[in-house]
Amino acid sequence: MNVHTPPTLQKLAIQTLVREEALGMSDLEEMAHGLFPALFKEAIDGRHIKLIKALVIAWPFHCLPVGALMRTTDVETLQAVLDGVDIRRTIGFHPRRKKLQFLDLRNVHHSFWNIWTDSEDSDYSAEILDEKKALQVRPRYALRQRLKVTVDLCIRSCLDEAQIWFLKWAQERKGSLYFCCTKMKIWTLPVKALRHIFHVFDPEHIMELELNTEWTLLELTRFAPYFGQMRNLRKVFLAPLHKIDFHLPNRTRVTEVKCINKFASQFSKFNCLQHLFMFCVHFLRSQMNQVLGCLMTPLKTLSITYSLVSQRDLDSFACCQSLFQLKHLELRGVVLLDLDLMPLRGLLMKVAGILETLDLQGCRMKDSQLSVLLPAFKQCSQISNINFYNNEFSMPFLKDLLQHTANWSKMNVEQYPAPLECYDEFAQVSVERFAQVCQDLMDTLRAIRQPKNSSFATDICHTCGERWVFDQVANLCHCWQ
Ligand SMILES: [Zn+2]
């Protein structure tokens, strides 16, 4: 409902009922099913704990996607919902209620609640509740006859009160309910603390994993078996994973390599991985072949940012089948200076017909390296986002690059470095030169095609942290305003 729309009679009636706590259990048993969602939403908003519990007990549908309404840290509301589930299970079958098969504690299905509470047509909404594809209970879960409880978990250095309470509740019911975590984010939690979590949530069901840990290589090795069990991962974000200073007992290079191999080899077990993000993952330097070469499915996204990459890693790009369907390639902050970019060109040639995003910001490439990549750029017909900021190209080579972009009809955002000619011998940017050469480049680009969002920018100013950006006009950094 739009905030400016006056509340409907039904909504006013529900608000009055909730406020006056006028509903008993027997009223709920007789109440039209279509009124439940609006009533539930009202009860959660006002934190009417008794009513929340009663509504869960009487909930007349297969699915209860309550996570969309709850604040994750509200222990009392969570307890009321789970108490309701417990009581409902002890009561057993009721002729007016469907068996509750799916309790969704994730922050999803907002549209479902909005449709319910905005619609005057309860019958229509009732159909949506049980037939909406996203909420359908899969046959194999129904067969198990166990209530499926789905959550997303974001675990920081220690569990919060609601998480502790929920995990205890879940552990006690592990045999009789079916627990599933689809997205897991882990921040600096010791690996040993994860054991309890994976005891409740089978790693096999995790579809998105984010690791922001500072584990030692040894801890990473301890985590590897859980990682390998996450066979249904679609998206993985790894950052930075381990401390620069390893704390291996009797550290030797052999031990290090064993640890790295054990972790890297788990990538061969994923059945449907599509998006791989690695940020500051230095320990996989020269091991990319092992990771990318063993993937069972083609990636749509490969993002390796601010990481150390060797020539050996780059060589593997051109021959890893798993990269040949890439739509998004990001190598931001990966220093390519001094590397032979022919393998990268080989990869770009292979994906030229499908690549949509290419981010080479901060790769510190030189003119000669740009020349190597040009034939591949020319063929990138689907490219819509490109970023070359923080590379060291001179004016003639930048112009040559622009000449190779006539085919980029789908381009939306294109970002180029200001050419070397803008800087003086002390690496200071000259205002006049900047405006002049960037205007020249923009004119060149406009003569080739009609750009939408194009810009030329300097490196970041060491004083204020801003760039000078030329789009329609020259925008100088804060120091000059
Ligand atoms: Zn500045």
Side-chain angles (χ1 to χ4, degrees), residues 395-410:
M395 190 73 178
F397 283 82
L398 258 178
K399 277 197 171 178
D400 200 17
L401 166 61
L402 299 179
Q403 294 293 349
H404 279 76
T405 68
N407 206 11
W408 293 4
S409 57
K410 304 213 167 148

Side-chain angles (χ1 to χ4, degrees), residues 461 463-466 468 477-480:
C461 164
T463 310
C464 70
E466 302 260 314
W468 296 22
C477 71
H478 267 90
C479 310
W480 289 75

Side-chain angles (χ1 to χ4, degrees), residues 164 315 331 434 479:
I164 291 170
D315 290 345
L331 296 174
F434 175 70
C479 310

Side-chain angles (χ1 to χ4, degrees), residues 200-402:
V200 174
F201 298 100
D202 188 339
E204 190 188 337
H205 299 121
I206 297 173
M207 290 158 71
E208 290 187 27
L209 175 72
E210 186 173 325
L211 285 184
N212 275 286
T213 62
E214 283 206 325
W215 293 335
T216 60
L217 274 182
L218 208 56
E219 283 179 292
L220 204 56
T221 314
R222 288 194 191 115
F223 178 75
Y226 298 120
F227 192 46
Q229 287 172 49
M230 299 177 188
R231 292 187 173 80
N232 292 305
L233 275 181
R234 279 145 176 79
K235 191 171 172 183
V236 181
F237 183 87
L238 306 175
L241 276 186
H242 81 102
K243 294 169 186 166
I244 301 293
D245 180 19
F246 311 148
H247 295 291
L248 288 175
N250 305 322
R251 178 187 158 206
T252 63
R253 181 61 194 155
V254 177
T255 319
E256 264 179 46
V257 170
K258 269 189 186 168
C259 289
I260 293 167
N261 284 346
K262 179 155 184 189
F263 184 77
S265 64
Q266 306 305 318
F267 282 83
S268 67
K269 298 175 181 169
F270 304 144
N271 291 324
C272 40
L273 188 66
Q274 294 188 330
H275 308 283
L276 176 56
F277 298 82
M278 294 190 266
F279 170 79
C280 281
V281 184
H282 303 307
F283 75 96
L284 285 177
R285 185 168 195 258
S286 296
Q287 307 294 326
M288 286 297 169
N289 187 34
Q290 197 185 346
V291 171
L292 302 173
C294 72
L295 291 177
M296 289 165 65
T297 49
L299 291 178
K300 286 187 179 162
T301 307
L302 175 65
S303 169
I304 302 172
T305 50
Y306 302 98
S307 302
L308 298 172
V309 164
S310 68
Q311 185 64 52
R312 189 172 152 198
D313 293 324
L314 217 51
D315 290 345
S316 66
F317 280 18
C319 49
C320 277
Q321 295 271 346
S322 62
L323 303 185
F324 294 171
Q325 290 182 37
L326 276 186
K327 285 177 181 256
H328 311 283
L329 175 61
E330 188 178 26
L331 296 174
R332 181 178 291 208
V334 171
V335 177
L336 298 177
L337 179 72
D338 299 331
L339 295 184
D340 170 16
L341 300 192
M342 277 306 281
L344 181 58
R345 167 167 138 180
L347 173 62
L348 291 172
M349 288 284 208
K350 290 219 163 62
V351 299
I354 50 172
L355 192 71
E356 293 170 15
T357 311
L358 178 63
D359 189 337
L360 297 174
Q361 179 178 336
C363 292
R364 318 266 17 148
M365 289 186 290
K366 303 275 188 197
D367 284 341
S368 57
Q369 292 175 303
L370 176 61
S371 298
V372 171
L373 299 179
L374 282 181
F377 291 156
K378 195 173 183 178
Q379 296 180 23
C380 289
S381 55
Q382 303 301 308
I383 196 96
S384 61
N385 269 278
I386 198 151
N387 190 332
F388 289 112
Y389 280 179
N390 293 93
N391 283 286
E392 294 163 17
F393 302 149
S394 67
M395 190 73 178
F397 283 82
L398 258 178
K399 277 197 171 178
D400 200 17
L401 166 61
L402 299 179

Side-chain angles (χ1 to χ4, degrees), residues 50 78 87 115 146 184 194 200 216 257-258 352 389 395 465 472:
K50 271 190 197 165
L78 180 65
I87 295 168
I115 288 167
R146 284 193 290 170
M184 188 176 279
L194 285 171
V200 174
T216 60
V257 170
K258 269 189 186 168
Y389 280 179
M395 190 73 178
Q472 307 293 331

